[in-house]
Amino acid sequence: MRRRDFIAAGAAALAAPWAGASPPGSDLPKGPVKILVGWAPGGGTDVFARTVQEVVELCRKSPGKISFGSSGTGSVQHLAAEMFNMAAGVKSIHVPYKGSGPMQTDLIGGQIDFSFDTMTAATAQVRAGKMHGIAQTRVNRAKGFPAMPTMDEQGFTGFDASSWYGVVGPRDMSRDLALRINADINRVLAMPDVVSRFDGYGVEDGGGSVDKFAAFMAAEYKKWGDVVRAAKVTEES
């Protein structure tokens, strides 16, 4: 299943390498990542930025000085930010953390300027008013955050970044067993109470066939591999 993500700031009318037709399996369960900024101690008037465009402008005014946090090098939050940097044509400094918790603490405290984070990890702080969500990184808005615009709506055509979870088995697992497990999981994901709980955290598009999931994983492997190579992401990035 995919979780939605958040991010802070955006640019208008930017052509992006991931724009165009959706990859196979793109309708599988996903959770968006959001762009986030912290609410400074002085209150909302001191917030770093309120739109994606403002983040872009700040990065352009101070190249190499604006910092973004992630839950760790190579995480989807890190790669989503690198994808944002390339699309916007800006350079910001990556500050990796050991998880979303310490990263959010520094974002709220003003030690870093913005971040991408999963809705699952960030929702409580956003709803408590400690962080400000600027954009969703899925193409369509999550049901739990209908008022928050997407990156696509803010000029990053086709921008789609999400964290997701799936169930896999050993390579010699029989197809019949895989299909039975798949059917059981699909039944659980369709239960109203499960759907309602997931909606509150932006977890959507659950379920699907084994073949769809395989195609989705192949598409994700290619997409993020392209980002890693283009952004020159390394273990030390």
Side-chain angles (χ1 to χ4, degrees):
M1 301 195 65
R2 292 197 201 175
R3 297 183 299 169
R4 298 256 176 194
D5 299 329
F6 292 102
I7 175 184
L14 292 172
W18 52 86
S22 299
S26 60
D27 54 344
L28 282 171
K30 301 170 185 164
V33 175
K34 297 177 184 176
I35 294 185
L36 301 163
V37 294
W39 287 110
T45 57
D46 296 329
V47 70
F48 171 70
R50 295 178 181 278
T51 67
V52 178
Q53 184 60 49
E54 287 183 9
V55 176
V56 173
E57 292 171 355
L58 289 166
C59 287
R60 288 176 177 167
K61 288 179 181 178
S62 302
K65 295 182 180 180
I66 302 300
S67 60
F68 72 89
S70 80
S71 62
T73 300
S75 64
V76 67
Q77 294 94 322
H78 175 201
L79 298 184
E82 295 292 0
M83 194 159 69
F84 161 73
N85 282 338
M86 290 190 293
V90 300
K91 178 64 176 177
S92 54
I93 301 171
H94 177 221
V95 182
Y97 290 83
K98 293 182 178 179
S100 290
M103 182 272 291
Q104 291 179 12
T105 297
D106 275 5
L107 179 65
I108 294 169
Q111 281 74 43
I112 55 175
D113 297 307
F114 73 98
S115 74
F116 284 72
D117 205 358
T118 65
M119 285 190 176
T120 308
T123 291
Q125 300 284 28
V126 170
R127 288 183 170 159
K130 294 182 179 180
M131 297 192 304
H132 178 57
I134 293 178
Q136 302 183 45
T137 62
R138 293 285 322 275
V139 175
N140 299 313
R141 298 187 186 191
K143 296 175 184 176
F145 292 86
M148 186 182 297
T150 66
M151 292 289 287
D152 183 89
E153 292 173 317
Q154 297 191 57
F156 288 81
T157 305
F159 194 106
D160 190 356
S162 64
S163 58
W164 53 270
Y165 293 96
V167 178
V168 298
R171 62 186 306 159
D172 60 350
M173 177 183 283
S174 71
R175 183 171 177 82
D176 286 345
L177 178 56
L179 291 174
R180 290 201 300 274
I181 295 173
N182 173 262
D184 288 341
I185 292 174
N186 280 328
R187 279 193 288 273
V188 172
L189 293 177
M191 293 178 177
D193 58 330
V194 174
V195 173
S196 176
R197 184 70 179 270
F198 280 169
D199 280 350
Y201 289 97
V203 181
E204 299 181 349
D205 307 327
S209 70
V210 295
D211 293 329
K212 183 184 292 185
F213 184 42
F216 168 72
M217 286 192 290
E220 287 283 279
Y221 182 83
K222 181 182 185 307
K223 178 176 75 175
W224 293 118
D226 290 344
V227 171
V228 167
R229 286 184 289 272
K232 296 181 173 58
V233 176
T234 66
E235 292 180 3
E236 293 74 35
S237 296

